[in-house]
Amino acid sequence: MIVSDVIDLTGDDKDDLQRAIALSLEESNRAFRETGITDEEQAISRVLEASIAENKASLKRTHTEVWSDSPNPYDRKRQDNCPVGLKNVGNTCWFSAVIQSLFNLLEFQRLVLHYSPPARMQDLPRNQKEHRNLPFMQELRHLFSLLVGSKRKYVDPSSAVEILKDAFKSSESQQQDVSEFTHKLLDWLEDAFQIKAEEDREGEKPKNPMVDLFYGRFLAVGVLEGKKFENTEMFGQYPLQVNGFKDLHECLEAAMIEGEIESLHSAENSAKSGQEHWFTELPPVLTFELSRFEFNQTLGRPEKIHNKLEFPSMLYMDRYMDRNRDITRIKREEIRRLKEHLTVLQQRLERYLSYGSGPKRFPLADVLQYAMEFASSKPVCTSPVEDINTTAPPGGTTAQLPPPASTGEQPDTSVPAEGSGSGPQAQQQQRVSIHKPFTQSRVPPELPMHPAPRHITEEELRVLEGCLHRWRSEVENDTRDLQASISRIHRTIELMYSDKSMMQVPYRLHAVLVHEGQANAGHYWAYIFDPHQQRWMKYNDISVTKSSWEELVRDSFGGYRNASAYCLMYIDDKKPFLIEEEFDKETGQMLSGLDKLPPDLKEYVEADNKLFEREMEEWDALQARKLQQEKLALAAASVAAQPMSTEPCPPDNTASQHDPEYMEQQSPTGDSKHLQEDTERAISKAAAEHDEKSPEALLKTALKVEYTRLLRLAQEDTPPERDYRLQHVIVYFIHNQAPKKIVERTLLTQFADRNLGFDERCKSIMKVARAKLELIMPDEVNMEEYEMWHQDYRKFRDATVFLLIGLELFLKKSYVEALMYLIYAYQYNKELLAKGPYRGHDEELIAHYRRECLLKLNEHAAVLFETGEEIEVNTGLSIMNELVVACIPLLLVDEMEEKDMVAVEDMRNRWCSYLGQEMEPNLQEKLTDFLPKLLDCSTEIKSFHDPPKLPSYSTLELCERYGQVVTSLTPSRTPADGR
């Protein structure tokens, strides 16, 4: 952004504009004199206050759109040395994108971290700048130190944002351009370092590191009404227009030349005015502000420019330097001449490629080829109409075509021959079939495939073919020559600045700040290059993920969806200190983590890490208490449910190692009855096969019989609606290759049921099984692993219940009720599939119906919004906020699922389409408030209510209902058999 005075190149005919500008400046100056606050500062204040208000309001909400931290601190724990994200505290994604881009400039990071407040900071600040900038600088140091050494996955920037908000007072609230914020942020940092520099260098001219890092100078060389001038100006962010340009160099070329500058190169005086910019000093960090917004006078509101604009990863600035002024002018003149020649050649080529005088035009070479094909076709002596009737029988005369059919009548497709009489019988005998082009698949062999000349002599054909061949050859040669010349000129222009002398000022792309959405609503994130890993990283609020140049191009160039770059940050490739890590002066080792911090910040981060560690310890203790309470409750329920018996029972040492509920058989009903019948059937079969009647021998055989049955079920190839994993836990274990000891203990538990039958044989086998369970030593079966396997099976059954209820509700079109069941079905299932491909159900099936449910709700909410009625509009927005927006991060968290990404874009585009439509002001206000939430690309998972309470189904009922609902699905959306 230009920070010095603007040069006035306007003439007398623009007095009205000048008066308007002067009036505006006078108004701004009066406001500044009265309040001490500039208009720009007030505008920044408004967006900050809006963000803080949004953050505070979010704390009061009880709906599911609340942006809250996961209660489990391990979900918020930083993984290894992964970069730390920034929490969006209420429409502050712009803050995150800018701060992360600056933080990853290691030289800037060092300047901020090692900034020491002035000695007089403890005293009352002398002016408003000190009152504002010094506390903000301290909060920025704290924020940077947490980004360096925090054990958290992301940190909260509220304190820094609060400082910015408190710096200005305003009663209004509106969206603020992010580039203005960046410019203002650098101003505040410059002021803070200026205060310190003035204190450190009493009597000397202070040196400001912010100015050295971000500000450069250019020379404005121009002519104003025939008089030449030169002025040196300072710049920070350099503004570039996007509209009408295809790449960054075209933008720069246009920005460096203003007005008509032919007079600059002429010794003669001219009335023309114009100027050129030539960089005399480039900053180490060169920032381009891409102007992608323009005001639509017709609609009376700003609009975003979505045009594609390419930019390179390495930018050579030599052609824009003042020291290369003469050679650049020569090259520009040469390029101008080449482009003029290029235009002429392209026009000539177009005449060859689009030949003709009518609306339809064709390549001339093809026209000549078609003429040659026509001339070479076999001559036909009869007319096309006569040719059709050559199928008349021998001896018959020429057939007459029937008259056109009257409206509403079908034409007669058979033709009577003349002289055959006029009666029906005669007509039936003498009818001749006519070829029907739309109903007959075969063309009669005597009908020519193409039109052909009727009369042409061999001499005429020979001359004509010779001419057409020669002309076509000439046209093809001319076309090739033109295309080759055009390619050569394009290549010459591309290589105009490729010689080494014009590649001495390289700037490497460091960060790209991206905006997705429209002019008055959207979301921001940043792509930042990691020079140590040599890869691009995507910083999207709390989410920091690995990326690629291809993804950056897709999201940043524009012309694809609604995302495009609005700010490019390049760094001088010849100044490696900008991104070099710091090394210990004594040991020579690279500093990392807390070692990079000065003592006060190291202490600050360590204190925050201890708080986080304490939070994790408290969470562990809470989970341990919950687990203990659950075990005690299960043990108490087991004791209470045991039947009274006059016989002494063997001591039970397994009370604390409780069996899963689907293995518990406290009464002969439901699941237990079904399982008992299977067990008794195995015992009966074992007794019939075994001669020895001892309980030990019968138990051994019965175990083998039951395992064989279950193994056969596991190996059976069944349709998706009959999933045997739901019928028995051991089938699930076999599918997932559970350890042999886990399977054996589970099967033994089945035969140790106290309620197993009432005959002595079953009771004796039960006692033997229980005795064997007690004899199993802790080192033989890992009980933690045993519990884990059974916990996974419980989750599998829960996921199944969530899925079948969700699908049942979806098929009933109860989308609001279905959504939460499908959401939790997907989450449970995904956790299971992370452990193995056969742990859960078909992920694509659940994802499809989860996605379809959200699309249905989105469409329903949009229809309600379109009614314009207050109640319907509020209902529609409530559905979006509480359900759709809350679930979008679940679809974005796995970017490999392309269908989910497309669905999210469809939902967003549905609402963005309203921005170009006329609507009531209250609807426009609601839409403007809602869209930033919808367009937020953060993958932060919002907290939901607890999962819906699941009904208790017996195994038979669960299998039956699951089979019914899967059978009801469309064939294309039935689950894949992954077992």
Side-chain angles (χ1 to χ4, degrees), residues 90-145:
N91 292 339
T92 55
C93 47
W94 45 270
F95 180 87
S96 173
V98 173
I99 290 298
Q100 291 282 23
S101 300
L102 293 173
F103 171 79
N104 281 278
L105 282 169
L106 298 187
E107 178 64 13
F108 179 83
Q109 180 190 123
R110 283 188 286 270
L111 288 171
V112 171
L113 292 175
H114 293 281
Y115 177 85
S116 56
R120 66 172 185 273
M121 185 178 177
Q122 305 302 326
D123 303 330
L124 289 175
R126 295 181 303 176
N127 54 46
Q128 184 198 16
K129 284 186 176 181
E130 292 187 18
H131 179 75
R132 175 192 66 202
N133 296 336
L134 296 181
F136 172 74
M137 195 68 198
Q138 191 63 14
E139 287 302 331
L140 190 63
R141 292 182 72 237
H142 287 164
L143 183 60
F144 272 30
S145 66

Side-chain angles (χ1 to χ4, degrees), residues 257-273:
I257 302 174
E258 298 177 10
E260 303 177 61
I261 61 165
E262 288 85 353
S263 54
L264 290 174
H265 312 150
S266 173
E268 301 176 4
N269 290 334
S270 171
K272 295 179 181 180
S273 299

Side-chain angles (χ1 to χ4, degrees), residues 186-429:
L186 294 178
D187 274 356
W188 294 332
L189 295 174
E190 179 188 344
D191 290 342
F193 276 95
Q194 188 68 22
I195 296 168
K196 179 63 177 172
E198 290 173 356
E199 181 183 79
D200 293 344
R201 297 198 176 190
E202 296 291 346
E204 299 180 28
K205 185 178 180 180
K207 189 174 183 181
N208 193 314
M210 288 294 108
V211 175
D212 294 342
L213 203 57
F214 293 102
Y215 289 90
R217 296 180 184 277
F218 67 83
L219 184 67
V221 182
V223 174
L224 179 58
E225 297 179 355
K227 296 180 180 179
K228 294 185 178 182
F229 65 86
E230 286 191 5
N231 288 321
T232 300
E233 301 185 36
M234 182 179 285
F235 71 94
Q237 296 180 82
Y238 202 84
L240 296 175
Q241 293 296 320
V242 169
N243 211 4
F245 306 110
K246 69 176 184 179
D247 59 41
L248 186 60
H249 277 300
E250 285 192 1
C251 294
L252 274 167
E253 289 281 356
M256 303 299 280
I257 302 174
E258 298 177 10
E260 303 177 61
I261 61 165
E262 288 85 353
S263 54
L264 290 174
H265 312 150
S266 173
E268 301 176 4
N269 290 334
S270 171
K272 295 179 181 180
S273 299
Q275 65 172 313
E276 292 177 328
H277 290 175
W278 299 97
F279 293 118
T280 57
E281 182 182 346
L282 288 174
V285 182
L286 179 58
T287 306
F288 295 114
E289 172 193 325
L290 303 182
S291 179
R292 281 196 171 270
F293 300 98
E294 63 182 5
F295 192 80
N296 188 317
Q297 297 288 350
T298 305
L299 298 176
R301 61 167 177 261
E303 288 187 336
K304 186 177 178 182
I305 301 168
H306 293 292
N307 298 355
K308 182 177 181 180
L309 183 80
E310 299 179 0
F311 49 83
S313 58
M314 182 68 77
L315 177 69
Y316 293 96
M317 294 295 293
D318 303 74
R319 70 186 78 173
Y320 311 109
M321 302 302 296
D322 182 55
R323 62 175 177 265
N324 296 324
R325 188 195 307 185
D326 293 337
I327 189 170
T328 299
R329 282 177 173 170
I330 294 172
K331 288 180 179 291
R332 282 179 181 170
E333 178 59 27
E334 177 65 13
I335 290 174
R336 186 190 64 78
R337 187 187 62 78
L338 287 172
K339 285 185 175 180
E340 288 179 354
H341 186 42
L342 183 65
T343 302
V344 174
L345 293 178
Q346 287 172 332
Q347 290 172 348
R348 289 179 181 173
L349 178 63
E350 183 65 17
R351 292 177 189 145
Y352 281 91
L353 297 179
S354 299
Y355 184 80
S357 56
K360 291 185 178 181
R361 305 192 176 196
F362 304 92
L364 179 54
D366 292 348
V367 172
L368 295 172
Q369 176 65 26
Y370 300 152
M372 194 184 311
E373 291 174 0
F374 174 78
S376 303
S377 299
K378 183 179 179 181
V380 178
C381 296
T382 58
S383 72
V385 175
E386 293 171 343
D387 185 55
I388 292 175
N389 294 299
T390 57
T391 56
T397 56
T398 305
Q400 300 295 320
L401 288 174
S406 61
T407 305
E409 296 180 2
Q410 295 297 323
D412 188 2
T413 56
S414 59
V415 184
E418 284 187 3
S420 61
S422 58
Q425 185 176 2
Q427 289 181 5
Q428 288 178 1
Q429 293 174 354

Side-chain angles (χ1 to χ4, degrees), residues 561 847-848 850-856 858 880 884 888 891-892 897-911 934:
R561 298 178 182 172
H848 170 79
R850 180 184 69 164
R851 184 168 58 244
E852 285 299 310
C853 198
L854 284 169
L855 288 168
K856 297 284 188 184
N858 185 77
M880 293 301 297
V884 179
I888 280 179
L891 273 64
L892 294 176
E897 185 56 59
E898 181 64 25
K899 293 179 182 177
D900 283 349
M901 300 288 287
V902 171
V904 171
E905 287 304 316
D906 288 344
M907 289 187 279
R908 288 173 172 167
N909 290 336
R910 181 77 163 86
W911 289 89
L934 179 65

Side-chain angles (χ1 to χ4, degrees), residues 61-108:
R61 296 177 186 150
T62 57
H63 301 303
T64 54
E65 79 268 22
V66 177
W67 285 78
S68 58
D69 296 327
S70 167
N72 185 349
Y74 288 96
D75 293 339
R76 296 179 273 115
K77 184 179 179 182
R78 184 179 183 182
Q79 300 298 318
D80 300 326
N81 292 321
C82 180
V84 177
L86 285 173
K87 184 179 180 181
N88 188 330
V89 294
N91 292 339
T92 55
C93 47
W94 45 270
F95 180 87
S96 173
V98 173
I99 290 298
Q100 291 282 23
S101 300
L102 293 173
F103 171 79
N104 281 278
L105 282 169
L106 298 187
E107 178 64 13
F108 179 83

Side-chain angles (χ1 to χ4, degrees), residues 570-794:
Y570 284 88
I571 57 175
D572 191 334
D573 200 43
K574 290 188 174 181
K575 295 179 179 176
F577 71 89
L578 293 169
I579 52 174
E580 276 184 347
E581 293 285 358
E582 196 172 357
F583 291 84
D584 186 282
K585 295 180 180 178
E586 296 181 359
T587 63
Q589 293 185 343
M590 186 178 74
L591 299 178
S592 62
L594 296 177
D595 293 336
K596 298 172 69 173
L597 304 178
D600 64 321
L601 293 181
K602 186 175 183 180
E603 183 179 341
Y604 174 79
V605 175
E606 286 175 342
D608 184 75
N609 285 341
K610 286 180 181 178
L611 286 175
F612 187 60
E613 289 170 356
R614 191 179 308 144
E615 186 181 352
M616 289 190 288
E617 291 170 0
E618 291 173 355
W619 172 265
D620 291 338
L622 176 63
Q623 299 310 304
R625 286 196 300 272
K626 284 184 178 180
L627 183 61
Q628 185 64 24
Q629 289 169 359
E630 289 174 2
K631 286 185 177 181
L632 291 174
L634 289 172
S638 176
V639 172
Q642 289 179 5
M644 297 296 294
S645 174
T646 56
E647 296 183 14
C649 292
D652 187 0
N653 297 324
T654 62
S656 62
Q657 299 170 354
H658 223 59
D659 295 318
E661 66 271 10
Y662 46 82
M663 297 299 295
E664 292 172 0
Q665 302 168 13
Q666 299 164 1
S667 61
T669 59
D671 277 2
S672 56
K673 183 177 180 180
H674 169 68
L675 201 57
Q676 284 171 218
E677 290 175 353
D678 289 341
T679 309
E680 290 168 5
R681 197 177 298 113
I683 292 173
S684 299
K685 190 173 182 180
E689 294 178 357
H690 213 285
D691 294 336
E692 188 179 347
K693 302 299 182 181
S694 67
E696 291 82 359
L698 284 176
L699 174 62
K700 183 177 180 181
T701 304
L703 287 170
K704 182 178 179 181
V705 168
E706 178 67 355
Y707 181 77
T708 302
R709 180 182 75 85
L710 296 174
L711 179 62
R712 187 166 56 250
L713 289 179
Q715 294 173 338
E716 186 175 335
D717 186 14
T718 59
E721 61 268 18
R722 193 162 75 247
D723 192 340
Y724 285 141
R725 293 177 299 172
L726 293 172
Q727 291 194 13
H728 203 291
V729 61
I730 289 180
V731 177
Y732 181 83
F733 286 175
I734 292 172
H735 274 294
N736 292 286
Q737 300 178 343
K740 182 180 177 183
K741 293 291 185 181
I742 303 295
V743 175
E744 289 176 352
R745 180 182 174 89
T746 302
L747 192 57
L748 194 58
T749 301
Q750 177 179 330
F751 284 83
D753 175 23
R754 290 182 181 277
N755 297 305
L756 186 61
F758 295 99
D759 60 80
E760 291 301 322
R761 183 177 61 191
C762 288
K763 286 184 178 179
S764 61
I765 288 177
M766 177 269 293
K767 291 178 181 179
V768 173
R770 294 188 69 82
K772 285 184 175 294
L773 280 175
E774 294 166 13
L775 293 173
I776 296 177
M777 302 301 293
D779 59 341
E780 293 184 61
V781 177
N782 186 331
M783 289 308 298
E784 289 186 4
E785 187 180 16
Y786 178 84
E787 287 291 339
M788 181 200 72
W789 276 95
H790 282 276
Q791 185 177 354
D792 282 353
Y793 186 65
R794 278 195 295 272

